[in-house]
Amino acid sequence: MAAAYRCTFLFICISFLIFSLETQMKAQISSLVWMKDSQAQLEKELTIKYGEAQQSRIQKGLRQVIDFWRAEDGDAATFEDFVRTNFAGDQTTMDVMFNRFENLLEQLNGHMNEIGLAFRQQSELELGPIYSFDEIFAAYSPGAHITDDFFKNKLAFIVLLNFPLTTLNERLMNGERWTRREWAEVRLAQRFSKRIPAEINQAVAEAASLTDQYISEYNIYMYHLIDANSNRLFPPKMRLLSHWNLRDELKADYNDKEHGIEKQKMIQKVMERIVTQTIPEVVVNNPNLDWNPFTNDVRLASVKDIDAPAKLNLKISNSPEPDTRYATLLKAFLASKKVDPYSPTAPTLITRKFDEEREIPETRVKEMLESILSSPLVPRIAKIMEERLGRSLEPYDIWYNGFRANGKYSETQLDEIVKKRYPTPDAYKADIPNMLMTLGFSKERAKYIADNILVDPARGSGHAAGAGMRSAKAHLRTRVGKDGMDYKGFNIAVHEMGHNVEQTLSLNTIDHYLLNGVPNTAFTEAIAFVFQAHDLDLLGLSTPDPQSDVLKTLNDFWMTYEIAGVSLVDMGIWHWMYDHPAAEPAELKAAMLSIAKDIWNTYYAPVFKEKDIVLLAIYSHIIHSFLYIPDYAIGYLISHQIEEQVKKSSSVGIEVERIVKSGSIAPDLWMKNATGSPVGSRALLEATERALKEYKK
Ligand SMILES: [Zn+2]
């Protein structure tokens, strides 16, 4: 992640600027009094010139241009001249225009992507020290102003005059009948469906960075949590970031037979204190105090485990955090709301997330989530969990991670095998064609794909960076130690290679550049997971244990069940904020607690036998990720659909090659082409049903 620029002072200035800009904008729109006359005149004139058959295109094009035209774009004469010059009234001109935009946008995107990759190279690859200027290069986004520029030079208006903007409903209702070219035209127009002033984008970025900052410094010093007998359950120096590290520690504590349950109960209490904001403000990110989360008693730490500077003027008290969590979320909401007037086809953050980014209607997502949450499979799995745990369920068991099979090979054995096989990134690269052939790609295809993938030494654990144009190559970034690649590195590399294969095929073998890629990230993740699951095959070590598949499915179901509830909380709170735009942080907190409890009481209390639990609201994403959580839940469902489909085929390679050819059309249509059904929960529910039948104690 690039370092975000943070400055509170700047944020205040920008908020002021936006306020005056919005007032100015409204004034501008209403002052374009000539627009109506020009519109009527041009509609008449162009219809006579190009014929009745073009009339509806003319009307729509004019409306689309008018929606985005501002006083600064020109007066009536400029507008009329622009429309007369740039309306493509016959098929030949349309074809030339479409092809030119498609080709040149590929060049633009592709080269911007190459610049970005080059600018981030020093910070992303193992290439020696990173200097301060390397970080600035890495954070720079060369494409940030393209949309602005395209409105200024009117290329965006040419697209809007000639190609249709669509709603999600139109894409879903009519998309199946559209030709590939029509889909590509729709995607072209969509690029210019918003004209957000740079100041407002900046305000959203500032809010995102403020919320990030709040979350990234929210640590709990675990050694300083004490129970009623002043026992410290956690080791010295353990610093856990909420909620990720707290949850992961809670999961790890299932392995602690002696104190696991006490630790888990304590973490649950800490999480509840954060959500309800009854956590003493002074204990956040502070190793100098001891805190009993049950009694909320705070005192000066009686032992020191970390050399942290004592916070000055710190009053030791248990005064609660003053609803900062909810004030922070409100900032994210208010910044997002500023975009609304500039996004006519999706005028709220909720519609932008569901209708534009995910392209699955919110009502359908809600139904899918509820079908998991209220599935009769839930109590059956809960029963198995109780047997495995030897106790009844506790609320924190929404994070149960005990569905794990024991591997046939030890990690050390696997490390040894992989290190010998791949001593360098080049050795891995040389083997890509063989690996792809093992997965069922033809010899020619395997070579073609491998030729389009470069392997680079990553600083981090690894990632895949696709190309943005057909003349460029995808990058597989992988970590190879001095003594060779270890098994963990290999497992990740195979996942990233799955991304690279999808990226290469869905860019290089697609009929229209504007349709390159997949509908959204869940699709490419699913394909990457299919590859990753075959990592032992690629080492020639397979003989998978059928029970491991069963346990994996039960684990996937339980994780989906957990995140589905969190998703509903995330969706519920954004609706509440839109319904109460002037809310105070305390009111937002009350709403959050009530929504979280309602969802718990409806879908979890029947299994956990306890009511009014607020744990679902602990996710940090709810505060800083702008309605992102449902993507996780949808991602699991999409993954299962794709994985089941690939399992049905005898060859991963052939099936992956077939399904990625649809490109970035609407997810439901993509999924119908791939599996015969739209995106939904059936594949996961059926797989879970089967797993329950095959489960052995
Ligand atoms: Zn991935």
Side-chain angles (χ1 to χ4, degrees), residues 599-626:
I599 290 166
W600 179 273
N601 292 346
T602 310
Y603 299 112
Y604 299 84
V607 197
F608 289 87
K609 315 278 187 260
E610 213 174 317
K611 283 195 136 184
D612 291 340
I613 299 293
V614 297
L615 281 183
L616 297 170
I618 189 60
Y619 268 70
S620 294
H621 307 82
I622 297 178
I623 308 303
H624 81 144
S625 293
F626 300 81

Side-chain angles (χ1 to χ4, degrees), residues 234 240 243-257 260 263-264 267 271 389 391 396-404 555 558-560 562 619 636:
F234 298 94
L240 300 184
H243 74 286
W244 297 273
N245 298 159
L246 288 171
R247 180 203 56 196
D248 292 346
E249 172 60 27
L250 195 155
K251 287 186 171 193
D253 291 336
Y254 282 105
N255 298 324
D256 180 347
K257 296 289 168 259
K263 287 174 167 175
Q264 289 171 322
I267 292 175
M271 288 175 160
L389 287 164
R391 60 168 169 80
Y396 59 76
D397 289 320
I398 50 173
W399 292 300
Y400 177 71
N401 76 341
F403 290 125
R404 287 273 160 82
N555 186 56
W558 197 252
M559 284 171 80
T560 312
E562 178 256 342
Y619 268 70
Y636 283 123

Side-chain angles (χ1 to χ4, degrees), residues 11 18 22 200 203-204 207 326-341 352 574 577-578 580-583 626:
F11 181 64
I18 290 158
E22 264 181 325
I200 288 186
V204 174
Y326 299 99
T328 308
L329 174 57
L330 272 179
K331 281 182 191 145
F333 164 68
L334 292 171
S336 309
K337 203 170 172 302
K338 291 193 169 107
V339 176
D340 296 355
R352 287 192 286 283
W574 275 88
M577 290 191 288
Y578 264 101
H580 303 83
F626 300 81

